[in-house]
Amino acid sequence: MMRTWKATNENLPPNVIKQLAKELKNLDETPPEGIKVVLNDDDFSTIFADIEGPAGTPYENGVFRMKLLLSHDFPQLPPKGYFLTKIFHPNIATNGEICVNTLKKDWNPSLGLRHVLLVIRCLLIEPFPESALNEQAGKMLLENYDEYARHARLYTVIHALKPKPKCQAGISESTTALNVDQSNMVSGGKMPLLSAPSTPPSKIPGPKGQDQNVLPPPAEGAAGAHAIPKKEGIVAAKVQTDKRKTDARKKSLKRL
């Protein structure tokens, strides 16, 4: 589906709007590596882009939002660039302003937006501490690169770290929670472990030829041992009662 390109910013001449629409469409269809332009059809005077931190730099795994501000005299005058995401870099001021020769003395009206964005991303790979806007970062880069890299990575982790995908993490967390719950139920006595019976049930033919399981008779254990003496005790008590009755009758006959 074709995108309808339009602009309502009266500060830009119609011919510039037309050229910008063409460039932005091209950037949208074939974006540069590590750069994604955020389109705004209603205003071409402010162009936003997300820049991925290049691999092997302290900015790796970070995504940095920046913007280009175009004046009425664009492209005769260069745009002004700002980082909106906080970053520790010699050529980027604490307010986000970008200092690069392409946007200053080396500007050429024939340079397009693609070239400008690529130069800014290259700045993350190769800073120029000699023209630093952040003096602390520039000095640290020249005197102690490891310390500079540590600061830059810390800023990246705090302000620009890309969120990790949640699908795989959610599956792992759910599986772990399920295993924990099952363990708790078993250990807490809610779901005891089942053990195989020591004596397998025998089978007898069912009414339709199907086998039915029949449990084996109870083993001669504690229950069986107590059942027999109990029955014998009842019989003995009855015999003793009958004997007493017989003795009583004999005594009655003697009295007569």
Side-chain angles (χ1 to χ4, degrees):
M1 181 178 179
M2 294 292 294
R3 181 184 295 271
T4 303
W5 299 93
K6 62 181 180 178
T8 58
N9 195 311
E10 298 178 356
N11 290 330
L12 295 175
N15 62 320
V16 174
I17 292 176
K18 184 177 180 180
Q19 178 62 29
L20 287 173
K22 183 179 179 180
E23 286 194 65
L24 290 171
K25 181 183 178 183
N26 182 265
L27 286 169
D28 184 40
E29 294 176 349
T30 57
E33 181 183 359
I35 301 174
K36 182 179 180 181
V37 175
V38 182
L39 299 175
N40 180 7
D41 295 348
D42 297 330
D43 187 2
F44 290 165
S45 65
T46 303
I47 297 171
F48 296 92
D50 289 334
I51 298 181
E52 294 183 3
T57 70
Y59 312 104
E60 185 175 359
N61 295 325
V63 176
F64 302 86
R65 173 66 60 92
M66 55 87 58
K67 69 178 178 180
L68 294 174
L69 297 180
L70 281 58
S71 67
H72 178 75
D73 296 324
F74 179 85
Q76 300 305 317
L77 293 180
K80 291 184 178 181
Y82 294 88
F83 267 81
L84 303 179
T85 303
K86 289 186 178 181
I87 184 172
F88 189 77
H89 191 286
N91 305 113
I92 302 171
T94 54
N95 68 346
E97 183 181 354
I98 303 171
C99 177
V100 62
N101 288 336
T102 301
L103 298 181
K104 292 187 177 181
K105 62 179 182 179
D106 293 341
W107 173 251
N108 188 317
S110 63
L111 298 177
L113 296 177
R114 181 181 296 269
H115 179 81
V116 172
L117 294 172
L118 286 172
V119 168
I120 293 175
R121 187 170 188 267
C122 288
L123 198 63
L124 301 183
I125 302 174
E126 187 177 356
F128 295 96
E130 296 81 4
S131 57
L133 286 181
N134 186 327
E135 294 183 1
Q136 180 189 9
K139 184 179 180 181
M140 196 176 293
L141 175 60
L142 291 173
E143 298 177 355
N144 189 340
Y145 177 82
D146 290 340
E147 187 66 14
Y148 157 76
R150 189 179 70 83
H151 272 72
R153 277 194 295 267
L154 182 62
Y155 269 67
T156 301
V157 169
I158 295 175
H159 302 290
L161 197 62
K162 288 189 294 186
K164 294 183 179 180
K166 296 183 179 180
C167 295
Q168 189 65 30
I171 294 173
S172 300
E173 291 172 0
S174 300
T175 305
T176 303
L178 179 59
N179 292 336
V180 171
D181 289 344
Q182 290 179 346
S183 300
N184 291 340
M185 290 176 69
V186 172
S187 61
K190 296 181 181 179
M191 188 177 71
L193 292 175
L194 298 178
S195 58
S198 58
T199 305
S202 59
K203 294 184 178 181
I204 60 174
K208 294 184 179 180
Q210 297 178 351
D211 292 340
Q212 294 181 348
N213 292 333
V214 178
L215 294 176
E220 293 182 1
H226 289 296
I228 295 175
K230 183 177 181 182
K231 185 175 181 180
E232 292 177 350
I234 294 174
V235 174
K238 185 177 181 182
V239 171
Q240 188 174 2
T241 302
D242 292 341
K243 186 178 179 181
R244 287 177 182 175
K245 289 181 179 179
T246 303
D247 293 342
R249 287 176 183 175
K250 288 180 180 181
K251 290 179 180 180
S252 299
L253 292 174
K254 288 181 180 180
R255 289 177 184 174
L256 293 176

